[in-house]
Amino acid sequence: MTTQDRMSRRMPTSEHTIGPFFPRSLFGAGDSDLTIVAPDASPTRRGEPILLRGRVTREGGVPCLNMILEAWQADADGRFDHPLDPARHMADPDFLGWGRAWTDEEGEFAFRTVMPGGYDDPVGRRAPHVNIAAMGAGLMRRVLTTVYFPDHAADHAADPVLALVPAARRARLVARPEGMADGLRVFRFDIRLRGTAEEETPFFDA
Amino acid sequence: MSAEDVPDRFDPWPPGVPPQVPVPGYPNTWTYTPSQPLIRRVPTRTEATGPIRLDRKLLCGEANLAERTPGRFAIGQLIHLSGRILDEDGRPVGGAVVELWQANAAGRYANPIDQRAAPLDPDFLGHGRVRTDEDGRYAFLTIKPGAYPVPVQDTWWRPPHLHFSVLGPSSLSRLVTQMYFRGDPLNALDRILNSIPDEAARERLIARDLPPAEVGDRWLGFTHDIVLRGRRATPHTP
Ligand SMILES: [Fe+2]
């Protein structure tokens, strides 16, 4: 590559809707399980495995089927297996932190993961959280939101991203406990794509 | 590379490049698109990172959509499509996962959700997935898809297009997009393509035709580069 190539800034390719036809064949067994790095890998043994469930609805509370959701989070100790994490060498090698799921006719999705850890970011201490991107027909751009957990209420006050959310809407970003399943704690995080300010899930700029 | 330089890796989307939403004439977008303003944030480590070895999770290597059985080709115009995944500095993004899906030559998807009365082609695999090489390069052998109507009251026909999903080294560089063909009269009428306000940005979604004499007599050739958001792309990590 020449220096000229390196210096010339390119404009990013525009985003488009994922549409209704993202193929089921591109989903594999275990894609919605963040605790395994490969289909045949064993789940990580670090951290508390949990289930994260939710329902995606649009205006009027109508369920959205065939929405594609992608999750990304830190491991149980708040580390990312990525060069941008200064503590990468301590990241859990058996935890992927990424998963993909789709919604059924009721708009329901489910991920298996571990309770994430918080970490110190240059802009402040991030409370434990899971990033969710939702895509689907009717959504020309993906929407981005963040799931927090009721376990860490004390950390939420200091989280520099949660602080940007209007105070009255912050509770919408905290998952609700929903009992146990398969011996794991279950958390519910419903996503309302469009509604009134009270109804709508807070979404972040991409 | 350190955590401190996370924010200046990601500029906001340039004006006119993302689609303008909701889209007049596409009723679904009026019930799905959030109505509240998006909340601006400075990118932190969690947004700037992403899974760098996703090819372990999403098995890659399906590059031939047009020849499921050796010697038996799908119906339609065979095309060879290749290109590079780059960052905003023009640096190749190696190790990116590139997913492709599309309609067949009759404009029908091999997806149970597509119930249109157009024929399915058992010799056509409507999807593929590859991992980019060190130069950020990907390639697929496929067919040119047909147009299809959008089932809304005031209908329009989608021009032939390929759907791309690119998973790069960061959550902010994650991209889902579509690619079009030059000269199709339906391009000017497509409400999805034309939801991109900037003409140059729309132009960048159109593949480049390769001179047939260079490609040979087996298929037509196209190239299409895709630029992900972010500068100083994460070096390829094996
Ligand atoms: Fe399509």
PDB file of all heavy atoms in Angstrom, chain A residues 112-149:
ATOM      1  N   ARG A 112     -27.946 -16.965  25.836  1.00  0.00           N
ATOM      2  CA  ARG A 112     -27.280 -17.528  27.007  1.00  0.00           C
ATOM      3  C   ARG A 112     -25.934 -16.836  27.106  1.00  0.00           C
ATOM      4  O   ARG A 112     -25.214 -16.709  26.125  1.00  0.00           O
ATOM      5  CB  ARG A 112     -27.084 -19.039  26.816  1.00  0.00           C
ATOM      6  CG  ARG A 112     -26.565 -19.752  28.031  1.00  0.00           C
ATOM      7  CD  ARG A 112     -26.438 -21.241  27.706  1.00  0.00           C
ATOM      8  NE  ARG A 112     -26.251 -22.027  28.902  1.00  0.00           N
ATOM      9  CZ  ARG A 112     -25.068 -22.229  29.491  1.00  0.00           C
ATOM     10  NH1 ARG A 112     -23.976 -21.706  28.971  1.00  0.00           N
ATOM     11  NH2 ARG A 112     -24.985 -22.956  30.579  1.00  0.00           N
ATOM     12  N   THR A 113     -25.618 -16.337  28.298  1.00  0.00           N
ATOM     13  CA  THR A 113     -24.345 -15.643  28.459  1.00  0.00           C
ATOM     14  C   THR A 113     -23.873 -15.787  29.898  1.00  0.00           C
ATOM     15  O   THR A 113     -24.367 -16.653  30.623  1.00  0.00           O
ATOM     16  CB  THR A 113     -24.477 -14.161  28.015  1.00  0.00           C
ATOM     17  OG1 THR A 113     -23.189 -13.558  28.050  1.00  0.00           O
ATOM     18  CG2 THR A 113     -25.464 -13.376  28.854  1.00  0.00           C
ATOM     19  N   VAL A 114     -22.883 -14.985  30.286  1.00  0.00           N
ATOM     20  CA  VAL A 114     -22.518 -14.901  31.702  1.00  0.00           C
ATOM     21  C   VAL A 114     -22.758 -13.462  32.151  1.00  0.00           C
ATOM     22  O   VAL A 114     -22.749 -12.529  31.327  1.00  0.00           O
ATOM     23  CB  VAL A 114     -21.036 -15.285  31.983  1.00  0.00           C
ATOM     24  CG1 VAL A 114     -20.752 -16.716  31.556  1.00  0.00           C
ATOM     25  CG2 VAL A 114     -20.073 -14.305  31.327  1.00  0.00           C
ATOM     26  N   MET A 115     -22.984 -13.293  33.440  1.00  0.00           N
ATOM     27  CA  MET A 115     -23.136 -11.942  33.978  1.00  0.00           C
ATOM     28  C   MET A 115     -21.832 -11.185  33.693  1.00  0.00           C
ATOM     29  O   MET A 115     -20.754 -11.621  34.114  1.00  0.00           O
ATOM     30  CB  MET A 115     -23.397 -12.009  35.489  1.00  0.00           C
ATOM     31  CG  MET A 115     -23.578 -10.643  36.123  1.00  0.00           C
ATOM     32  SD  MET A 115     -24.984  -9.710  35.450  1.00  0.00           S
ATOM     33  CE  MET A 115     -26.333 -10.463  36.371  1.00  0.00           C
ATOM     34  N   PRO A 116     -21.918 -10.078  32.916  1.00  0.00           N
ATOM     35  CA  PRO A 116     -20.677  -9.363  32.571  1.00  0.00           C
ATOM     36  C   PRO A 116     -20.075  -8.667  33.790  1.00  0.00           C
ATOM     37  O   PRO A 116     -20.778  -8.378  34.759  1.00  0.00           O
ATOM     38  CB  PRO A 116     -21.145  -8.336  31.534  1.00  0.00           C
ATOM     39  CG  PRO A 116     -22.615  -8.196  31.731  1.00  0.00           C
ATOM     40  CD  PRO A 116     -23.121  -9.469  32.324  1.00  0.00           C
ATOM     41  N   GLY A 117     -18.788  -8.368  33.707  1.00  0.00           N
ATOM     42  CA  GLY A 117     -18.128  -7.564  34.730  1.00  0.00           C
ATOM     43  C   GLY A 117     -18.074  -6.115  34.288  1.00  0.00           C
ATOM     44  O   GLY A 117     -18.167  -5.800  33.099  1.00  0.00           O
ATOM     45  N   GLY A 118     -17.921  -5.197  35.228  1.00  0.00           N
ATOM     46  CA  GLY A 118     -17.713  -3.796  34.906  1.00  0.00           C
ATOM     47  C   GLY A 118     -16.240  -3.560  34.627  1.00  0.00           C
ATOM     48  O   GLY A 118     -15.404  -4.451  34.812  1.00  0.00           O
ATOM     49  N   TYR A 119     -15.905  -2.406  34.137  1.00  0.00           N
ATOM     50  CA  TYR A 119     -14.491  -2.095  33.886  1.00  0.00           C
ATOM     51  C   TYR A 119     -14.269  -0.586  33.909  1.00  0.00           C
ATOM     52  O   TYR A 119     -15.215   0.195  33.789  1.00  0.00           O
ATOM     53  CB  TYR A 119     -14.030  -2.694  32.557  1.00  0.00           C
ATOM     54  CG  TYR A 119     -14.620  -2.018  31.336  1.00  0.00           C
ATOM     55  CD1 TYR A 119     -14.002  -0.921  30.765  1.00  0.00           C
ATOM     56  CD2 TYR A 119     -15.810  -2.471  30.780  1.00  0.00           C
ATOM     57  CE1 TYR A 119     -14.542  -0.281  29.661  1.00  0.00           C
ATOM     58  CE2 TYR A 119     -16.351  -1.835  29.677  1.00  0.00           C
ATOM     59  CZ  TYR A 119     -15.715  -0.738  29.130  1.00  0.00           C
ATOM     60  OH  TYR A 119     -16.259  -0.098  28.046  1.00  0.00           O
ATOM     61  N   ASP A 120     -13.010  -0.190  34.056  1.00  0.00           N
ATOM     62  CA  ASP A 120     -12.649   1.225  34.051  1.00  0.00           C
ATOM     63  C   ASP A 120     -12.309   1.654  32.642  1.00  0.00           C
ATOM     64  O   ASP A 120     -11.394   1.120  32.017  1.00  0.00           O
ATOM     65  CB  ASP A 120     -11.454   1.471  34.971  1.00  0.00           C
ATOM     66  CG  ASP A 120     -11.856   1.360  36.429  1.00  0.00           C
ATOM     67  OD1 ASP A 120     -12.846   2.015  36.817  1.00  0.00           O
ATOM     68  OD2 ASP A 120     -11.224   0.576  37.165  1.00  0.00           O
ATOM     69  N   ASP A 121     -13.084   2.596  32.138  1.00  0.00           N
ATOM     70  CA  ASP A 121     -12.849   3.162  30.816  1.00  0.00           C
ATOM     71  C   ASP A 121     -12.282   4.566  31.035  1.00  0.00           C
ATOM     72  O   ASP A 121     -12.568   5.182  32.063  1.00  0.00           O
ATOM     73  CB  ASP A 121     -14.184   3.235  30.056  1.00  0.00           C
ATOM     74  CG  ASP A 121     -13.991   3.522  28.585  1.00  0.00           C
ATOM     75  OD1 ASP A 121     -13.898   4.711  28.199  1.00  0.00           O
ATOM     76  OD2 ASP A 121     -13.916   2.547  27.817  1.00  0.00           O
ATOM     77  N   PRO A 122     -11.481   5.089  30.065  1.00  0.00           N
ATOM     78  CA  PRO A 122     -10.989   6.464  30.228  1.00  0.00           C
ATOM     79  C   PRO A 122     -12.097   7.480  30.536  1.00  0.00           C
ATOM     80  O   PRO A 122     -11.838   8.479  31.209  1.00  0.00           O
ATOM     81  CB  PRO A 122     -10.315   6.758  28.887  1.00  0.00           C
ATOM     82  CG  PRO A 122      -9.868   5.410  28.403  1.00  0.00           C
ATOM     83  CD  PRO A 122     -10.908   4.430  28.891  1.00  0.00           C
ATOM     84  N   VAL A 123     -13.323   7.237  30.079  1.00  0.00           N
ATOM     85  CA  VAL A 123     -14.382   8.215  30.363  1.00  0.00           C
ATOM     86  C   VAL A 123     -15.127   7.928  31.663  1.00  0.00           C
ATOM     87  O   VAL A 123     -16.021   8.682  32.041  1.00  0.00           O
ATOM     88  CB  VAL A 123     -15.402   8.352  29.210  1.00  0.00           C
ATOM     89  CG1 VAL A 123     -14.701   8.774  27.934  1.00  0.00           C
ATOM     90  CG2 VAL A 123     -16.198   7.076  28.996  1.00  0.00           C
ATOM     91  N   GLY A 124     -14.772   6.861  32.357  1.00  0.00           N
ATOM     92  CA  GLY A 124     -15.435   6.558  33.626  1.00  0.00           C
ATOM     93  C   GLY A 124     -15.647   5.076  33.796  1.00  0.00           C
ATOM     94  O   GLY A 124     -15.385   4.287  32.878  1.00  0.00           O
ATOM     95  N   ARG A 125     -16.130   4.702  34.950  1.00  0.00           N
ATOM     96  CA  ARG A 125     -16.334   3.282  35.255  1.00  0.00           C
ATOM     97  C   ARG A 125     -17.621   2.797  34.615  1.00  0.00           C
ATOM     98  O   ARG A 125     -18.710   3.311  34.908  1.00  0.00           O
ATOM     99  CB  ARG A 125     -16.386   3.084  36.762  1.00  0.00           C
ATOM    100  CG  ARG A 125     -16.793   1.692  37.194  1.00  0.00           C
ATOM    101  CD  ARG A 125     -15.646   0.921  37.808  1.00  0.00           C
ATOM    102  NE  ARG A 125     -16.000  -0.493  38.039  1.00  0.00           N
ATOM    103  CZ  ARG A 125     -15.187  -1.503  37.759  1.00  0.00           C
ATOM    104  NH1 ARG A 125     -13.984  -1.285  37.255  1.00  0.00           N
ATOM    105  NH2 ARG A 125     -15.554  -2.736  37.996  1.00  0.00           N
ATOM    106  N   ARG A 126     -17.492   1.836  33.684  1.00  0.00           N
ATOM    107  CA  ARG A 126     -18.683   1.282  33.040  1.00  0.00           C
ATOM    108  C   ARG A 126     -19.285   0.205  33.910  1.00  0.00           C
ATOM    109  O   ARG A 126     -18.602  -0.739  34.328  1.00  0.00           O
ATOM    110  CB  ARG A 126     -18.325   0.692  31.665  1.00  0.00           C
ATOM    111  CG  ARG A 126     -17.825   1.684  30.612  1.00  0.00           C
ATOM    112  CD  ARG A 126     -18.835   2.784  30.268  1.00  0.00           C
ATOM    113  NE  ARG A 126     -20.196   2.319  30.094  1.00  0.00           N
ATOM    114  CZ  ARG A 126     -20.723   1.970  28.926  1.00  0.00           C
ATOM    115  NH1 ARG A 126     -20.020   2.065  27.831  1.00  0.00           N
ATOM    116  NH2 ARG A 126     -21.976   1.561  28.861  1.00  0.00           N
ATOM    117  N   ALA A 127     -20.581   0.329  34.196  1.00  0.00           N
ATOM    118  CA  ALA A 127     -21.301  -0.708  34.938  1.00  0.00           C
ATOM    119  C   ALA A 127     -21.444  -1.946  34.049  1.00  0.00           C
ATOM    120  O   ALA A 127     -21.418  -1.832  32.818  1.00  0.00           O
ATOM    121  CB  ALA A 127     -22.670  -0.177  35.345  1.00  0.00           C
ATOM    122  N   PRO A 128     -21.580  -3.126  34.649  1.00  0.00           N
ATOM    123  CA  PRO A 128     -21.769  -4.339  33.832  1.00  0.00           C
ATOM    124  C   PRO A 128     -22.951  -4.179  32.874  1.00  0.00           C
ATOM    125  O   PRO A 128     -24.016  -3.699  33.275  1.00  0.00           O
ATOM    126  CB  PRO A 128     -22.048  -5.420  34.885  1.00  0.00           C
ATOM    127  CG  PRO A 128     -21.352  -4.922  36.114  1.00  0.00           C
ATOM    128  CD  PRO A 128     -21.523  -3.429  36.080  1.00  0.00           C
ATOM    129  N   HIS A 129     -22.731  -4.549  31.616  1.00  0.00           N
ATOM    130  CA  HIS A 129     -23.780  -4.341  30.618  1.00  0.00           C
ATOM    131  C   HIS A 129     -23.571  -5.252  29.422  1.00  0.00           C
ATOM    132  O   HIS A 129     -22.483  -5.794  29.216  1.00  0.00           O
ATOM    133  CB  HIS A 129     -23.777  -2.876  30.148  1.00  0.00           C
ATOM    134  CG  HIS A 129     -22.508  -2.496  29.440  1.00  0.00           C
ATOM    135  ND1 HIS A 129     -21.404  -2.024  30.106  1.00  0.00           N
ATOM    136  CD2 HIS A 129     -22.149  -2.564  28.130  1.00  0.00           C
ATOM    137  CE1 HIS A 129     -20.427  -1.807  29.246  1.00  0.00           C
ATOM    138  NE2 HIS A 129     -20.848  -2.135  28.025  1.00  0.00           N
ATOM    139  N   VAL A 130     -24.638  -5.395  28.639  1.00  0.00           N
ATOM    140  CA  VAL A 130     -24.605  -6.131  27.368  1.00  0.00           C
ATOM    141  C   VAL A 130     -25.080  -5.162  26.291  1.00  0.00           C
ATOM    142  O   VAL A 130     -26.120  -4.519  26.443  1.00  0.00           O
ATOM    143  CB  VAL A 130     -25.543  -7.362  27.390  1.00  0.00           C
ATOM    144  CG1 VAL A 130     -25.445  -8.138  26.079  1.00  0.00           C
ATOM    145  CG2 VAL A 130     -25.244  -8.269  28.582  1.00  0.00           C
ATOM    146  N   ASN A 131     -24.315  -5.038  25.196  1.00  0.00           N
ATOM    147  CA  ASN A 131     -24.749  -4.213  24.062  1.00  0.00           C
ATOM    148  C   ASN A 131     -25.622  -5.054  23.143  1.00  0.00           C
ATOM    149  O   ASN A 131     -25.257  -6.176  22.806  1.00  0.00           O
ATOM    150  CB  ASN A 131     -23.539  -3.723  23.263  1.00  0.00           C
ATOM    151  CG  ASN A 131     -22.577  -2.958  24.128  1.00  0.00           C
ATOM    152  OD1 ASN A 131     -22.925  -1.928  24.692  1.00  0.00           O
ATOM    153  ND2 ASN A 131     -21.368  -3.481  24.273  1.00  0.00           N
ATOM    154  N   ILE A 132     -26.749  -4.479  22.730  1.00  0.00           N
ATOM    155  CA  ILE A 132     -27.641  -5.189  21.808  1.00  0.00           C
ATOM    156  C   ILE A 132     -27.846  -4.333  20.560  1.00  0.00           C
ATOM    157  O   ILE A 132     -28.155  -3.141  20.673  1.00  0.00           O
ATOM    158  CB  ILE A 132     -29.028  -5.447  22.456  1.00  0.00           C
ATOM    159  CG1 ILE A 132     -28.894  -6.265  23.748  1.00  0.00           C
ATOM    160  CG2 ILE A 132     -29.973  -6.108  21.452  1.00  0.00           C
ATOM    161  CD1 ILE A 132     -28.875  -7.752  23.577  1.00  0.00           C
ATOM    162  N   ALA A 133     -27.686  -4.962  19.398  1.00  0.00           N
ATOM    163  CA  ALA A 133     -28.055  -4.329  18.136  1.00  0.00           C
ATOM    164  C   ALA A 133     -29.239  -5.110  17.578  1.00  0.00           C
ATOM    165  O   ALA A 133     -29.201  -6.342  17.556  1.00  0.00           O
ATOM    166  CB  ALA A 133     -26.884  -4.360  17.153  1.00  0.00           C
ATOM    167  N   ALA A 134     -30.282  -4.400  17.160  1.00  0.00           N
ATOM    168  CA  ALA A 134     -31.446  -5.062  16.564  1.00  0.00           C
ATOM    169  C   ALA A 134     -31.590  -4.597  15.122  1.00  0.00           C
ATOM    170  O   ALA A 134     -31.430  -3.405  14.819  1.00  0.00           O
ATOM    171  CB  ALA A 134     -32.715  -4.758  17.348  1.00  0.00           C
ATOM    172  N   MET A 135     -31.855  -5.573  14.240  1.00  0.00           N
ATOM    173  CA  MET A 135     -32.015  -5.292  12.815  1.00  0.00           C
ATOM    174  C   MET A 135     -33.254  -6.023  12.325  1.00  0.00           C
ATOM    175  O   MET A 135     -33.624  -7.045  12.887  1.00  0.00           O
ATOM    176  CB  MET A 135     -30.793  -5.815  12.046  1.00  0.00           C
ATOM    177  CG  MET A 135     -29.501  -5.140  12.441  1.00  0.00           C
ATOM    178  SD  MET A 135     -28.029  -6.017  11.846  1.00  0.00           S
ATOM    179  CE  MET A 135     -27.822  -7.224  13.134  1.00  0.00           C
ATOM    180  N   GLY A 136     -33.878  -5.518  11.262  1.00  0.00           N
ATOM    181  CA  GLY A 136     -35.036  -6.223  10.729  1.00  0.00           C
ATOM    182  C   GLY A 136     -35.700  -5.419   9.636  1.00  0.00           C
ATOM    183  O   GLY A 136     -35.359  -4.248   9.407  1.00  0.00           O
ATOM    184  N   ALA A 137     -36.665  -6.057   8.963  1.00  0.00           N
ATOM    185  CA  ALA A 137     -37.462  -5.352   7.963  1.00  0.00           C
ATOM    186  C   ALA A 137     -38.168  -4.201   8.660  1.00  0.00           C
ATOM    187  O   ALA A 137     -38.627  -4.343   9.797  1.00  0.00           O
ATOM    188  CB  ALA A 137     -38.474  -6.303   7.346  1.00  0.00           C
ATOM    189  N   GLY A 138     -38.241  -3.073   8.012  1.00  0.00           N
ATOM    190  CA  GLY A 138     -38.870  -1.906   8.628  1.00  0.00           C
ATOM    191  C   GLY A 138     -37.872  -1.027   9.354  1.00  0.00           C
ATOM    192  O   GLY A 138     -38.156   0.128   9.636  1.00  0.00           O
ATOM    193  N   LEU A 139     -36.715  -1.587   9.668  1.00  0.00           N
ATOM    194  CA  LEU A 139     -35.638  -0.806  10.284  1.00  0.00           C
ATOM    195  C   LEU A 139     -34.578  -0.565   9.220  1.00  0.00           C
ATOM    196  O   LEU A 139     -33.838  -1.478   8.858  1.00  0.00           O
ATOM    197  CB  LEU A 139     -35.004  -1.564  11.456  1.00  0.00           C
ATOM    198  CG  LEU A 139     -35.651  -1.439  12.824  1.00  0.00           C
ATOM    199  CD1 LEU A 139     -34.883  -2.288  13.838  1.00  0.00           C
ATOM    200  CD2 LEU A 139     -35.717   0.014  13.280  1.00  0.00           C
ATOM    201  N   MET A 140     -34.503   0.642   8.717  1.00  0.00           N
ATOM    202  CA  MET A 140     -33.521   0.942   7.678  1.00  0.00           C
ATOM    203  C   MET A 140     -32.108   0.946   8.242  1.00  0.00           C
ATOM    204  O   MET A 140     -31.145   0.700   7.537  1.00  0.00           O
ATOM    205  CB  MET A 140     -33.821   2.303   7.049  1.00  0.00           C
ATOM    206  CG  MET A 140     -35.200   2.385   6.411  1.00  0.00           C
ATOM    207  SD  MET A 140     -35.393   1.209   5.067  1.00  0.00           S
ATOM    208  CE  MET A 140     -34.480   2.063   3.801  1.00  0.00           C
ATOM    209  N   ARG A 141     -31.993   1.296   9.536  1.00  0.00           N
ATOM    210  CA  ARG A 141     -30.705   1.265  10.220  1.00  0.00           C
ATOM    211  C   ARG A 141     -30.878   0.365  11.431  1.00  0.00           C
ATOM    212  O   ARG A 141     -31.944   0.330  12.031  1.00  0.00           O
ATOM    213  CB  ARG A 141     -30.329   2.669  10.711  1.00  0.00           C
ATOM    214  CG  ARG A 141     -30.410   3.738   9.648  1.00  0.00           C
ATOM    215  CD  ARG A 141     -29.951   5.084  10.194  1.00  0.00           C
ATOM    216  NE  ARG A 141     -28.523   5.026  10.513  1.00  0.00           N
ATOM    217  CZ  ARG A 141     -27.844   6.061  11.031  1.00  0.00           C
ATOM    218  NH1 ARG A 141     -28.455   7.174  11.318  1.00  0.00           N
ATOM    219  NH2 ARG A 141     -26.556   5.949  11.279  1.00  0.00           N
ATOM    220  N   ARG A 142     -29.788  -0.280  11.839  1.00  0.00           N
ATOM    221  CA  ARG A 142     -29.885  -1.066  13.061  1.00  0.00           C
ATOM    222  C   ARG A 142     -30.078  -0.117  14.231  1.00  0.00           C
ATOM    223  O   ARG A 142     -29.668   1.046  14.180  1.00  0.00           O
ATOM    224  CB  ARG A 142     -28.634  -1.920  13.240  1.00  0.00           C
ATOM    225  CG  ARG A 142     -27.388  -1.108  13.430  1.00  0.00           C
ATOM    226  CD  ARG A 142     -26.130  -1.956  13.394  1.00  0.00           C
ATOM    227  NE  ARG A 142     -24.982  -1.072  13.597  1.00  0.00           N
ATOM    228  CZ  ARG A 142     -23.952  -1.332  14.389  1.00  0.00           C
ATOM    229  NH1 ARG A 142     -23.902  -2.498  15.016  1.00  0.00           N
ATOM    230  NH2 ARG A 142     -22.986  -0.481  14.546  1.00  0.00           N
ATOM    231  N   VAL A 143     -30.706  -0.590  15.290  1.00  0.00           N
ATOM    232  CA  VAL A 143     -30.829   0.215  16.503  1.00  0.00           C
ATOM    233  C   VAL A 143     -29.933  -0.390  17.570  1.00  0.00           C
ATOM    234  O   VAL A 143     -29.721  -1.606  17.614  1.00  0.00           O
ATOM    235  CB  VAL A 143     -32.295   0.311  17.001  1.00  0.00           C
ATOM    236  CG1 VAL A 143     -33.129   1.086  16.009  1.00  0.00           C
ATOM    237  CG2 VAL A 143     -32.899  -1.057  17.284  1.00  0.00           C
ATOM    238  N   LEU A 144     -29.361   0.473  18.407  1.00  0.00           N
ATOM    239  CA  LEU A 144     -28.376   0.054  19.404  1.00  0.00           C
ATOM    240  C   LEU A 144     -28.872   0.413  20.788  1.00  0.00           C
ATOM    241  O   LEU A 144     -29.235   1.561  21.041  1.00  0.00           O
ATOM    242  CB  LEU A 144     -27.049   0.773  19.152  1.00  0.00           C
ATOM    243  CG  LEU A 144     -26.448   0.626  17.755  1.00  0.00           C
ATOM    244  CD1 LEU A 144     -25.218   1.506  17.614  1.00  0.00           C
ATOM    245  CD2 LEU A 144     -26.082  -0.833  17.489  1.00  0.00           C
ATOM    246  N   THR A 145     -28.885  -0.574  21.667  1.00  0.00           N
ATOM    247  CA  THR A 145     -29.254  -0.286  23.039  1.00  0.00           C
ATOM    248  C   THR A 145     -28.327  -1.063  23.968  1.00  0.00           C
ATOM    249  O   THR A 145     -27.458  -1.817  23.508  1.00  0.00           O
ATOM    250  CB  THR A 145     -30.744  -0.586  23.301  1.00  0.00           C
ATOM    251  OG1 THR A 145     -31.100  -0.075  24.589  1.00  0.00           O
ATOM    252  CG2 THR A 145     -31.061  -2.059  23.235  1.00  0.00           C
ATOM    253  N   THR A 146     -28.471  -0.843  25.263  1.00  0.00           N
ATOM    254  CA  THR A 146     -27.573  -1.440  26.247  1.00  0.00           C
ATOM    255  C   THR A 146     -28.394  -1.958  27.414  1.00  0.00           C
ATOM    256  O   THR A 146     -29.279  -1.254  27.910  1.00  0.00           O
ATOM    257  CB  THR A 146     -26.546  -0.398  26.730  1.00  0.00           C
ATOM    258  OG1 THR A 146     -25.809   0.066  25.592  1.00  0.00           O
ATOM    259  CG2 THR A 146     -25.573  -1.002  27.724  1.00  0.00           C
ATOM    260  N   VAL A 147     -28.100  -3.199  27.806  1.00  0.00           N
ATOM    261  CA  VAL A 147     -28.821  -3.846  28.905  1.00  0.00           C
ATOM    262  C   VAL A 147     -27.972  -3.753  30.175  1.00  0.00           C
ATOM    263  O   VAL A 147     -26.804  -4.153  30.175  1.00  0.00           O
ATOM    264  CB  VAL A 147     -29.059  -5.341  28.590  1.00  0.00           C
ATOM    265  CG1 VAL A 147     -29.907  -5.988  29.685  1.00  0.00           C
ATOM    266  CG2 VAL A 147     -29.687  -5.517  27.227  1.00  0.00           C
ATOM    267  N   TYR A 148     -28.559  -3.226  31.235  1.00  0.00           N
ATOM    268  CA  TYR A 148     -27.927  -3.250  32.564  1.00  0.00           C
ATOM    269  C   TYR A 148     -28.702  -4.230  33.438  1.00  0.00           C
ATOM    270  O   TYR A 148     -29.786  -4.691  33.055  1.00  0.00           O
ATOM    271  CB  TYR A 148     -27.943  -1.844  33.173  1.00  0.00           C
ATOM    272  CG  TYR A 148     -27.100  -0.835  32.407  1.00  0.00           C
ATOM    273  CD1 TYR A 148     -27.616  -0.142  31.308  1.00  0.00           C
ATOM    274  CD2 TYR A 148     -25.792  -0.576  32.782  1.00  0.00           C
ATOM    275  CE1 TYR A 148     -26.846   0.770  30.612  1.00  0.00           C
ATOM    276  CE2 TYR A 148     -25.006   0.348  32.094  1.00  0.00           C
ATOM    277  CZ  TYR A 148     -25.545   1.019  31.009  1.00  0.00           C
ATOM    278  OH  TYR A 148     -24.778   1.932  30.311  1.00  0.00           O
ATOM    279  N   PHE A 149     -28.132  -4.543  34.619  1.00  0.00           N
ATOM    280  CA  PHE A 149     -28.750  -5.558  35.484  1.00  0.00           C
ATOM    281  C   PHE A 149     -29.062  -4.978  36.857  1.00  0.00           C
ATOM    282  O   PHE A 149     -28.298  -4.149  37.377  1.00  0.00           O
ATOM    283  CB  PHE A 149     -27.810  -6.764  35.614  1.00  0.00           C
ATOM    284  CG  PHE A 149     -27.604  -7.464  34.307  1.00  0.00           C
ATOM    285  CD1 PHE A 149     -26.563  -7.099  33.463  1.00  0.00           C
ATOM    286  CD2 PHE A 149     -28.485  -8.458  33.880  1.00  0.00           C
ATOM    287  CE1 PHE A 149     -26.378  -7.718  32.237  1.00  0.00           C
ATOM    288  CE2 PHE A 149     -28.314  -9.078  32.650  1.00  0.00           C
ATOM    289  CZ  PHE A 149     -27.258  -8.710  31.824  1.00  0.00           C
TER     290      PHE A 149
END
